[in-house]
Amino acid sequence: PVPVEQEGEQEAETSSEDDKLQDLPPCWGLDIVCGKGTDFNYGPWADRQRECLWKFFLPADYQAMKVSEVAQPGEPRQIQAFELRMNIIADATIDLLFTKNRETNAIHVNVGAGSYLEVNIPMTVGENGYSPTIKGQLLHVDTTSSMQYRTLLEAEMLAFHVIASYPRVWNMPQSWQCEIEVYKATYHFIYAQKNFFTDLIKDWASDSAPDIYSFVPYSWKFKILFHQFEMIWAANQHNWIDCSTKQQENVYLAACGETLNIDFTLPFNEFVPTTCHTRFSLRAEDTDMRLSLPECHPSRYPLLTLAKDYQNIKLPPDMFMSAENQGAPPLKPSKSRWRNITHAEAGWLDCWSVPNFLLIIDYTWHPIYPQKADEQLKQSFSEMEESMLSALRPPEQSSVPRYTSTSNSAAPSRGSTDPSELPPDRLHVEMEMSPDSQILLYGPLLRALISIKENYFGEDDMYTDFEEAVSSPVLSTATSSGLGWIEDSEQKEGSDAHPLDLRPWDITVLINLYKVHGRLPVHCSSEGPEGPSGFLERLCFEMKKGYKETMLQMILSPIHIFISDNYQ
């Protein structure tokens, strides 16, 4: 029971240590220790079973929760929270399983000893409700997928902290916050992973129609921080990728840096909104771009020889500045940075160095709701018809919507609709690089950047494995979500995409570069000239791309090109 408060300083001094411990709330928890051979399997199907068990044993009563009263002296003490602690003392595996078209896909994660998980569930309710927390860390993370290109993520440590906020009224807005910190991470990125993770989200999402009686508004706030990272992009022509595990014949570009902050919020505060909007913010510091050519590439050894012979001396920023800015201090010599795969000994070359990098993405999309896709399609074309007829309707007939009954009945059927006439999803991208970035203009770098543009933002976004035959039946999208290539004949026979899935895009891109120092490497001796160099004060590029047209605009400030007098 709660002890009776003692009166007087003398009685307080005579209280023993045991009496002070009795003032603490009782502990209620579960400690789990996982040893050798531990394997966790989870996924959308298992989560649905968890939800069914939760609703069976703890059904919602849809009543406002009452604030917990503080136990009075003489009453039993209250349990404040339930604590779950799980420690992994040996290497373990985590498999995240999901299905698409009756085929199982998986994300396989290997974690090392010392990983742990802590869950705190409050048992009392305050004025603002209660806030469960989940935190933990995974050591020596090695993640692969069931795609043909299996490599995904390697990290020395991944720490996470999730805080949920439940108000006392069941249908009031909830707030979820997730903070993730990743140390010494290497992430292998290809565009086909977008479809892979989209299939995972679709399998995890509910397939029942939206219900206003059970709708609860909520929002997810994500903060992801990378300490020392490598993001590797495949840059083969036409997105042919060698998916073997050893001696891959792939051209790679890598974005490497000291820190990377990613912030975004996923709002789900409205019931069946027409559009949803989110904003992604990426900030990187001390970022380098590195290039790697495979052993079989004809330009590999000439490129390595050129890089070895060339005097890789960074130009000071005051070399091309105006007279009033000549007092600026020169750049500090670059310090050694962490590398996991992009070692210089393995043939990786530094091509571009950026002190600070900012990328902002505004994304507005039209969500597709389960069991309501055809209704959404019909409504979209009805609204378009109304907007077109409103300009032609005579004023005296504006109050009589005679077209309403015919527009619904005459709405285009699913088979005859043109997705290009639907309102587009909108994507606005802003990229900005801080001043004094330095670039080495190697020839293979330009070809790799063009391949990146086509492989990730162009017509070659679906990859093809070197060893896969063109006629192989496993390449159809009707099977695995991890395979992106599909033959034309199979696409015509098995494609049954809904028109809403083919909604057009409206993309706007804005790129700003400031004070870029560039050099063209040439073979030279230690006493010879350094080769041509240049300085760009500012570059602004803007692109607006729709379904039917693309507009480009570029603004260049004066470009200074310098060539040594002794260069031949």
Side-chain angles (χ1 to χ4, degrees):
V2 177
V4 179
E5 296 181 0
Q6 299 179 357
E7 297 181 358
E9 297 181 358
Q10 183 175 2
E11 294 181 356
E13 293 177 357
T14 58
S15 61
S16 63
E17 198 69 26
D18 294 339
D19 295 336
K20 294 181 179 180
L21 292 177
Q22 289 182 1
D23 294 339
L24 299 176
C27 297
W28 183 33
L30 177 64
D31 293 339
I32 302 175
V33 178
C34 302
K36 296 181 179 180
T38 301
D39 185 11
F40 299 96
N41 292 273
Y42 202 71
W45 180 88
D47 190 70
R48 284 190 283 269
Q49 313 314 309
R50 176 206 57 80
E51 184 179 7
C52 292
L53 291 172
W54 187 278
K55 290 181 178 180
F56 179 80
F57 289 102
L58 299 172
D61 57 0
Y62 302 103
Q63 301 296 322
M65 293 181 291
K66 297 181 180 180
V67 179
S68 302
E69 298 180 357
V70 180
Q72 301 299 321
E75 297 179 353
R77 291 177 295 164
Q78 296 178 340
I79 296 175
Q80 300 296 320
F82 172 78
E83 297 181 353
L84 169 66
R85 292 181 291 269
M86 179 183 297
N87 293 318
I88 301 176
I89 61 175
D91 293 345
T93 60
I94 303 173
D95 289 324
L96 189 61
L97 309 174
F98 67 98
T99 59
K100 179 188 179 182
N101 297 332
R102 300 182 180 180
E103 180 175 345
T104 301
N105 297 278
I107 298 176
H108 184 78
V109 184
N110 294 321
V111 297
S115 304
Y116 72 90
L117 172 69
E118 294 182 358
V119 181
N120 184 287
I121 303 177
M123 293 289 106
T124 58
V125 180
E127 290 291 341
N128 298 323
Y130 65 97
S131 298
T133 60
I134 303 174
K135 66 178 181 178
Q137 71 177 18
L138 304 177
L139 300 180
H140 307 294
V141 179
D142 184 8
T143 306
T144 58
S145 67
S146 59
M147 303 172 61
Q148 286 178 309
Y149 190 77
R150 297 179 55 84
T151 310
L152 199 61
L153 174 68
E154 301 175 18
E156 186 176 279
M157 187 184 75
L158 188 150
F160 55 91
H161 189 193
V162 180
I163 303 175
S165 177
Y166 287 92
R168 292 196 296 121
V169 180
W170 70 273
N171 59 352
M172 291 298 289
Q174 300 178 4
S175 176
W176 293 70
Q177 299 180 8
C178 180
E179 299 180 0
I180 300 176
E181 291 191 37
V182 188
Y183 295 84
K184 296 183 177 180
T186 301
Y187 179 57
H188 301 257
F189 175 63
I190 61 175
Y191 184 83
Q193 293 172 1
K194 168 186 172 294
N195 297 335
F196 184 81
F197 288 107
T198 299
D199 293 334
L200 170 62
I201 295 173
K202 287 183 178 179
D203 192 13
W204 210 303
S206 174
D207 57 355
S208 58
D211 182 14
I212 186 62
Y213 294 104
S214 59
F215 172 72
V216 177
Y218 67 98
S219 63
W220 271 97
K221 296 181 180 180
F222 288 90
K223 293 183 178 181
I224 305 175
L225 177 59
F226 288 87
H227 301 273
Q228 298 177 326
F229 68 94
E230 296 175 338
M231 178 179 287
I232 299 178
W233 304 54
N236 285 349
Q237 191 175 12
H238 302 304
N239 214 359
W240 285 82
I241 298 180
D242 183 4
C243 297
S244 59
T245 57
K246 296 181 179 180
Q247 296 181 351
Q248 294 181 347
E249 299 180 359
N250 296 324
V251 178
Y252 287 119
L253 272 180
C256 313
E258 292 299 305
T259 59
L260 174 63
N261 289 276
I262 304 176
D263 297 333
F264 63 95
T265 300
L266 299 179
F268 302 98
N269 298 320
E270 299 182 18
F271 178 73
V272 193
T274 304
T275 60
C276 296
H277 174 266
T278 188
R279 180 185 179 93
F280 297 86
S281 176
L282 292 83
R283 300 176 183 271
E285 296 181 358
D286 297 331
T287 308
D288 297 329
M289 178 183 290
R290 296 166 184 163
L291 173 66
S292 174
L293 302 180
E295 294 283 347
C296 63
H297 200 286
S299 300
R300 175 181 171 86
Y301 292 102
L303 178 63
L304 294 178
T305 305
L306 175 62
K308 182 179 180 181
D309 292 345
Y310 183 67
Q311 294 180 354
N312 192 8
I313 303 175
K314 292 188 176 181
L315 301 176
D318 57 350
M319 181 173 180
F320 309 117
M321 287 186 179
S322 57
E324 60 270 14
N325 295 327
Q326 285 290 338
L331 287 179
K332 297 181 180 179
S334 60
K335 59 181 180 180
S336 59
R337 296 176 180 176
W338 171 83
R339 295 177 183 238
N340 179 32
I341 293 181
T342 60
H343 293 284
E345 296 78 7
W348 288 83
L349 301 177
D350 288 341
C351 300
W352 201 339
S353 177
V354 181
N356 293 282
F357 175 83
L358 173 63
L359 180 66
I360 296 177
I361 303 175
D362 283 317
Y363 180 35
T364 302
W365 74 97
H366 296 75
I368 303 176
Y369 300 101
Q371 303 181 19
K372 287 185 175 294
D374 292 335
E375 181 179 344
Q376 287 181 259
L377 180 64
K378 188 176 180 180
Q379 182 180 3
S380 298
F381 280 101
S382 299
E383 293 175 353
M384 293 173 56
E385 182 180 1
E386 179 182 357
S387 63
M388 289 185 295
L389 292 178
S390 59
L392 303 176
R393 192 178 303 117
E396 62 272 13
Q397 298 179 2
S398 59
S399 60
V400 184
R402 295 184 299 175
Y403 67 93
T404 304
S405 60
T406 59
S407 62
N408 293 333
S409 60
S413 63
R414 177 175 172 180
S416 61
T417 55
D418 185 1
S420 64
E421 298 179 359
L422 293 171
D425 292 339
R426 301 187 183 277
L427 183 67
H428 178 75
V429 180
E430 293 185 13
M431 185 178 70
E432 183 174 334
M433 294 185 183
S434 63
D436 298 327
S437 64
Q438 303 190 29
I439 181 173
L440 294 176
L441 299 174
Y442 293 111
L445 174 62
L446 179 59
R447 183 179 294 272
L449 291 175
I450 295 175
S451 298
I452 289 290
K453 180 257 181 186
E454 294 297 331
N455 295 349
Y456 292 85
F457 311 104
E459 59 183 6
D460 297 328
D461 53 1
M462 293 294 103
Y463 74 98
T464 306
D465 187 7
F466 280 4
E467 301 179 356
E468 286 294 335
V470 176
S471 59
S472 175
V474 300
L475 291 177
S476 172
T477 56
T479 56
S480 174
S481 61
L483 306 174
W485 189 86
I486 178 172
E487 195 176 2
D488 292 340
S489 60
E490 295 176 356
Q491 185 176 10
K492 294 177 181 178
E493 296 176 0
S495 177
D496 190 22
H498 196 278
L500 293 180
D501 293 326
L502 306 176
R503 187 185 296 271
W505 285 76
D506 188 357
I507 302 175
T508 304
V509 178
L510 179 61
I511 300 176
N512 290 317
L513 305 181
Y514 304 95
K515 298 181 180 179
V516 181
H517 304 264
R519 285 179 290 166
L520 182 64
V522 295
H523 290 280
C524 57
S525 61
S526 58
E527 298 180 357
E530 297 180 357
S533 60
F535 175 73
L536 175 63
E537 182 69 27
R538 183 172 182 179
L539 182 147
C540 297
F541 172 78
E542 185 176 3
M543 180 189 73
K544 185 175 182 182
K545 181 177 179 62
Y547 179 76
K548 297 181 179 180
E549 65 177 0
T550 301
M551 293 184 292
L552 303 176
Q553 178 176 270
M554 179 179 293
I555 301 176
L556 291 173
S557 67
I559 303 176
H560 306 274
I561 299 177
F562 300 87
I563 301 178
S564 174
D565 295 338
N566 298 326
Y567 179 74
Q568 296 180 355

